[in-house]
Amino acid sequence: MGYIISHYWNELVQGLGYTLLASVIALFFSTIIGTMFAIFEVLPNRLMRVIGRVYIEIFRNIPLLVIAMFFYVIVPLYIAKIDGFTAGTIGLTLYTSSFIAETVRAGIQSVDLGQMEGARANGMTYWQAMSKIVLPQAFKIIIPPMGNQFINLVKNSSVLAFVAGFDLMYQANSIASLSLDTINSYMVVGLFYLVITLPLSYYMRHLEKRLAN
Amino acid sequence: MQNFIEAYSWVNIRFLLEGLWITVEVSVVSIIASFIIGSLLGVLRYVKIKYLSAVVGFIVDIIRNLPLILIIFFTYFGLPHLGFKPGILFATILAMTIFESAMLAEIVRSGIMAVDEGQMEGARANGLSYVQALWHVVFPQAIKKTIPTIVSQFISLIKDTSLATIIVLPELLNHAQIIYGQNSAYIIPMFVIIAVMYFIICYALSVLSRVLDRKLA
Amino acid sequence: MKKLTRMLAALVGFGCLALSLTACGSRESLSKQDVLTNDRASNTITWGVKAETKLFGLMDVKDNQVKGFDVDIAKAITKKILGKNGQAKFVQVTSQTRIPLLKNGNIDAIIATMTITPERAKQVDFSDSYFDAGQSLLVKKGSPVKSVKDLNKPGVKVLGVTGANSVANIKKFAPKAKVLELSDYAQAMTALKSGQGAALTTDNGILYGMAVQNPGYTVVGGAFTKEPYGIAINKGQQPLKDEVNKALEEIQADGTYNRILKKWFGNVAGFDYKEAAR
């Protein structure tokens, strides 16, 4: 293992960088998109609710790998030239946004209905009440599940390996083939993933406990 | 349009269905095995047997925090170093089971913790032993509470079987790749049909979970 | 409770075992058993073959069988070693999975467009070469890329396959280009069509097969390396290696080799099968 780490340090660090970059970008955009569709789902307008539902069900029920490959091989043919990293990150964003939408929706619905009514009775518009009263409370409730979504995001970013996205898993495959030392290569990359995900995971559990009390 | 008609020839559809069968086979076996093992591990994490629970907890945490693809590589390429040489199908099932058991262990543990402590005390006051109370009172409620989360985890499992295409498991995505690899006019028809196939299976499962949830509530 | 604990203890034990296995990652060969003896006893040789490489090993969707030059050579060698009723079993591999699978003993030998290289020869043994390939380029017809020199520019992307020798080579021949590694040749070809790279590089034999499948694409740049294909066998399996080499000689002497070569390469534009005949 020491040999792999010292000999392929540059590749590993590059992979770590791309994995983190893809995860952070995807987290940012999937939170925005996911929140948007979550709000769609709780709107009084029936059409919007249907749109929200359809979006979430589509991206929740198709494998991430299929979505990422779609953006890698089909989108460049007809829509826009995008490279593997971009295609993978877009796939990751859309896939994760459907899970975040579900989480946020549950958060919104767990905020007492009276809050919305009270805010509106005090002269706020629907959107003011939603953005100033309901969403801030919803986000506080969903911090732990959102943390879990981010951990999943980091793990799922390994699909970038299938679309030449230069992430950790891509480097792992490359290093394993170059060094011909399969197990140690994947062990090292496993450690790199754990360095990101384990602390996050323990922190989330700590947070969960604190919020519960 | 012509592409779609040619792409969905019986030969191709049959080949895809063979892939779908492998996907279903891996999914069903892994779901059953990981539900049993995951529940046991979850209970074990909760009851706090000295050392044992800590060790289990540590292993579960490690597995939970690794990408599934790595676990697949470990079972397919790593296990033979122990003298156990799984075939590709078994290696995939094993990887899915190990990974999903760890994920479920965490879900079950938090489910048990969410069941009111009073339940356990009440059951024990009624003369049940700790194990009886856990098994007959607390555990069933914990499962009931976590059904939507568990089913959503199983849906992820079904979708994630597609990752095994990297070790050439002849599952649905792999068979679609073989077809469009030989005739690129079929790329879009293949993506459409496998997306629909995955969607139908996963969506059906999520509808089932909602019905189950409502019935039990 | 005792039963439960015991069962869980066993599970935990398994977990620890799994961990320690990956932790130590022992490199020693799994069994000191003689593969040839086992194969004779079971009357079967298990070969690792490609399933996404036209002409060498391609999955036939109609009957779920892998077909190609490598597969036919493997069958002919099997018959020579085990006799007329010898069975050849095929396991699908990619450039990435073939060496670990061989070393782990999932397969007895690799016949999968595999170049004999000094680095690989440290890990596995090779038979005598059974096919002479050379690395080349596949591009869209009318592409400005005419040779490997045209790729040696910053910003140019070249497609290859993880674990293929051609990926290591192209980094030497066109160090300024960015190499994108896909998981197998079907994926690499699809990526080329989607415009993810200016060219796909690997051995000409494989590229000719792709050009046959995809009429809008052509092989350019000539062969800029020599890629002799060998059959890979685990270290310490000298008897099997000797038998394979003997069988290779026999099928070349009795015309079987040329018949198989003609069957797969007789009508491939740009490939002179007579020159490759042995």
Side-chain angles (χ1 to χ4, degrees):
Chain A
M1 271 173 78
Y3 171 79
I4 301 276
I5 292 178
S6 59
H7 207 258
Y8 297 99
W9 179 251
N10 290 340
E11 284 84 351
L12 289 166
V13 170
Q14 193 199 28
L16 185 70
Y18 276 107
T19 290
L20 281 175
L21 189 63
S23 306
V24 170
I25 293 174
L27 180 70
F28 180 75
F29 286 106
S30 58
T31 305
I32 293 174
I33 299 172
T35 308
M36 190 175 88
F37 281 100
I39 295 173
F40 276 20
E41 272 219 290
V42 294
L43 282 181
N45 184 328
R46 194 181 141 79
L47 178 70
M48 297 304 259
R49 281 208 306 271
V50 170
I51 294 175
R53 198 71 239 151
V54 168
Y55 176 88
I56 292 171
E57 292 297 351
I58 285 180
F59 286 106
R60 234 168 68 96
N61 290 311
I62 294 175
L64 169 59
L65 183 52
V66 173
I67 299 171
M69 305 251 306
F70 174 85
F71 279 94
Y72 189 60
V73 302
I74 294 182
V75 168
L77 281 180
Y78 300 98
I79 302 165
K81 283 257 167 287
I82 50 174
D83 63 14
F85 179 79
T86 313
T89 309
I90 293 176
L92 205 53
T93 303
L94 297 181
Y95 181 78
T96 311
S97 71
S98 69
F99 287 89
I100 289 187
E102 286 285 84
T103 312
V104 175
R105 182 186 57 99
I108 293 174
Q109 285 174 342
S110 68
V111 175
D112 189 18
L113 258 183
Q115 304 258 359
M116 173 59 102
E117 281 159 18
R120 299 211 50 189
N122 280 324
M124 282 187 172
T125 66
Y126 182 87
W127 292 109
Q128 282 173 331
M130 180 59 93
S131 61
K132 299 228 168 75
I133 308 286
V134 179
L135 278 183
Q137 292 184 64
F139 273 113
K140 209 176 276 170
I141 298 170
I142 59 171
I143 286 175
M146 283 292 278
N148 286 330
Q149 287 303 336
F150 185 60
I151 295 168
N152 283 337
L153 196 51
V154 174
K155 292 191 290 173
N156 285 338
S157 69
S158 54
V159 294
L160 262 73
F162 289 82
V163 293
F166 297 104
D167 71 313
L168 265 177
M169 191 59 74
Y170 175 84
Q171 305 293 356
N173 291 335
S174 191
I175 293 169
S177 299
L178 281 175
S179 66
L180 296 176
D181 187 351
T182 318
I183 288 304
N184 281 322
S185 304
Y186 289 124
M187 281 294 296
V188 167
V189 168
L191 281 182
F192 270 73
Y193 275 106
L194 288 179
V195 166
I196 314 175
T197 53
L198 258 189
L200 261 175
S201 158
Y202 282 126
Y203 180 67
M204 283 306 147
R205 195 172 297 158
H206 166 77
L207 214 62
E208 223 168 313
K209 253 184 219 155
R210 229 185 47 191
L211 287 177
N213 293 338
Chain B
M1 202 59 226
Q2 192 60 31
N3 283 345
F4 276 83
I5 296 166
E6 283 172 27
Y8 298 155
S9 67
W10 170 236
V11 169
N12 285 350
I13 295 292
R14 191 183 54 194
F15 192 64
L16 285 178
L17 288 176
E18 282 164 6
L20 183 65
W21 173 242
I22 298 284
T23 296
V24 170
E25 207 178 327
V26 169
S27 303
V28 170
V29 177
S30 313
I31 283 175
I32 294 171
S34 61
F35 182 68
I36 296 170
I37 299 172
S39 300
L40 285 174
L41 293 178
V43 171
L44 194 65
R45 269 195 108 166
Y46 171 78
V47 295
K48 302 224 164 36
I49 299 170
K50 224 179 184 179
Y51 305 122
L52 193 63
S53 296
V55 171
V56 169
F58 182 66
I59 294 172
V60 164
D61 278 341
I62 288 191
I63 294 171
R64 237 161 44 83
N65 284 295
L66 287 172
L68 176 57
I69 306 176
L70 267 185
I71 316 268
I72 293 176
F73 285 139
F74 285 147
T75 55
Y76 197 39
F77 298 143
L79 278 185
H81 287 273
L82 282 182
F84 173 62
K85 200 169 55 190
I88 185 159
L89 191 65
F90 193 59
T92 312
I93 289 175
L94 207 56
M96 305 299 292
T97 304
I98 290 173
F99 181 75
E100 299 298 338
S101 298
M103 298 299 277
L104 283 183
E106 186 61 18
I107 296 171
V108 170
R109 184 190 68 97
S110 60
I112 295 177
M113 298 221 309
V115 174
D116 190 4
E117 289 256 317
Q119 302 264 358
M120 172 60 97
E121 281 156 24
R124 299 215 53 186
N126 280 323
L128 292 180
S129 73
Y130 183 77
V131 178
Q132 280 173 327
L134 195 62
W135 181 245
H136 292 291
V137 180
V138 178
F139 181 71
Q141 289 188 62
I143 294 293
K144 234 184 260 177
K145 266 200 171 162
T146 48
I147 277 182
T149 322
I150 290 177
V151 173
S152 139
Q153 193 59 43
F154 287 154
I155 291 174
S156 289
L157 184 155
I158 295 170
K159 290 182 290 179
D160 287 347
T161 53
S162 59
L163 296 173
T165 183
I166 200 159
I167 53 168
V168 211
L169 178 76
E171 45 71 55
L172 184 55
L173 177 63
N174 181 262
H175 274 194
Q177 287 176 327
I178 287 174
I179 293 171
Y180 74 68
Q182 295 179 19
N183 188 338
S184 55
Y186 296 167
I187 290 185
I188 293 179
M190 283 304 125
F191 268 91
V192 170
I193 194 170
I194 64 169
V196 168
M197 283 177 171
Y198 280 116
F199 183 86
I200 290 174
I201 295 179
C202 296
Y203 187 69
L205 202 57
S206 71
V207 168
L208 190 76
S209 118
R210 247 170 275 159
V211 172
L212 207 63
D213 198 31
R214 216 169 298 148
K215 271 206 172 150
L216 291 174
Chain C
M1 189 67 197
K2 252 186 193 164
K3 252 189 197 162
L4 188 81
T5 332
R6 216 178 295 155
M7 202 151 87
L8 290 168
L11 276 169
V12 171
F14 175 78
C16 294
L17 214 63
L19 267 180
S20 60
L21 107 103
T22 45
C24 63
S26 68
R27 306 293 318 155
E28 62 191 287
S29 84
L30 294 165
S31 56
K32 302 279 175 241
Q33 286 170 323
D34 183 38
V35 172
L36 184 63
T37 314
N38 289 346
D39 286 351
R40 285 231 160 88
S42 61
N43 201 31
T44 309
I45 299 180
T46 308
W47 300 86
V49 293
K50 292 270 182 76
E52 22 66 61
T53 314
K54 188 160 173 87
L55 301 179
F56 288 94
L58 187 72
M59 171 63 76
D60 187 340
V61 174
K62 286 191 201 75
D63 55 11
N64 229 329
Q65 300 285 322
V66 185
K67 292 169 185 174
F69 177 76
D70 280 346
V71 175
D72 284 354
I73 294 286
K75 282 180 185 162
I77 292 176
T78 306
K79 292 240 172 343
K80 290 283 176 204
I81 295 176
L82 298 178
K84 269 219 152 43
N85 296 322
Q87 294 291 313
K89 195 178 147 204
F90 296 104
V91 171
Q92 298 172 31
V93 299
T94 63
S95 301
Q96 190 191 335
T97 64
R98 59 192 172 189
I99 289 184
L101 288 183
L102 177 69
K103 296 187 74 159
N104 286 344
N106 293 55
I107 49 181
D108 302 331
I110 304 169
I111 180 159
T113 66
M114 189 169 180
T115 307
I116 303 169
T117 70
E119 294 84 51
R120 287 175 181 160
K122 285 180 203 152
Q123 302 279 333
V124 296
D125 277 350
F126 281 104
S127 71
D128 299 333
S129 163
Y130 69 93
F131 186 86
D132 289 314
Q135 188 169 348
S136 198
L137 306 170
L138 186 74
V139 297
K140 199 171 186 163
K141 277 183 183 156
S143 158
V145 176
K146 303 280 179 234
S147 78
V148 70
K149 281 189 201 120
D150 297 330
L151 295 175
N152 195 20
K153 293 171 192 154
V156 173
K157 291 175 183 167
V158 188
L159 300 161
V161 166
T162 308
N165 192 41
S166 43
V167 166
N169 286 338
I170 197 72
K171 286 176 182 160
K172 286 176 213 146
F173 280 86
K176 286 181 190 151
K178 194 166 193 179
V179 183
L180 303 179
E181 299 175 21
L182 279 300
S183 56
D184 64 38
Y185 287 109
Q187 298 311 308
M189 185 64 221
T190 310
L192 180 66
K193 291 197 149 169
S194 300
Q196 297 290 357
L200 195 169
T201 187
T202 185
D203 309 330
N204 48 8
I206 302 173
L207 294 180
Y208 283 125
M210 291 176 170
V212 169
Q213 278 181 321
N214 303 281
Y217 290 79
T218 182
V219 181
V220 297
F224 53 90
T225 66
K226 282 196 164 60
E227 306 289 326
Y229 286 172
I231 296 166
I233 292 153
N234 259 327
K235 291 261 178 219
Q237 299 296 339
Q238 196 63 32
L240 179 63
K241 187 180 152 187
D242 291 343
E243 282 292 313
V244 166
N245 278 334
K246 205 176 101 204
L248 262 178
E249 259 172 51
E250 283 172 28
I251 62 170
Q252 285 174 24
D254 69 8
T256 312
Y257 179 91
N258 285 347
R259 212 167 42 244
I260 296 172
L261 190 73
K262 190 178 175 194
K263 175 181 167 191
W264 292 103
F265 292 93
N267 292 316
V268 175
F271 187 92
D272 187 359
Y273 91 90
K274 281 188 183 125
E275 200 181 296
R278 293 178 172 192

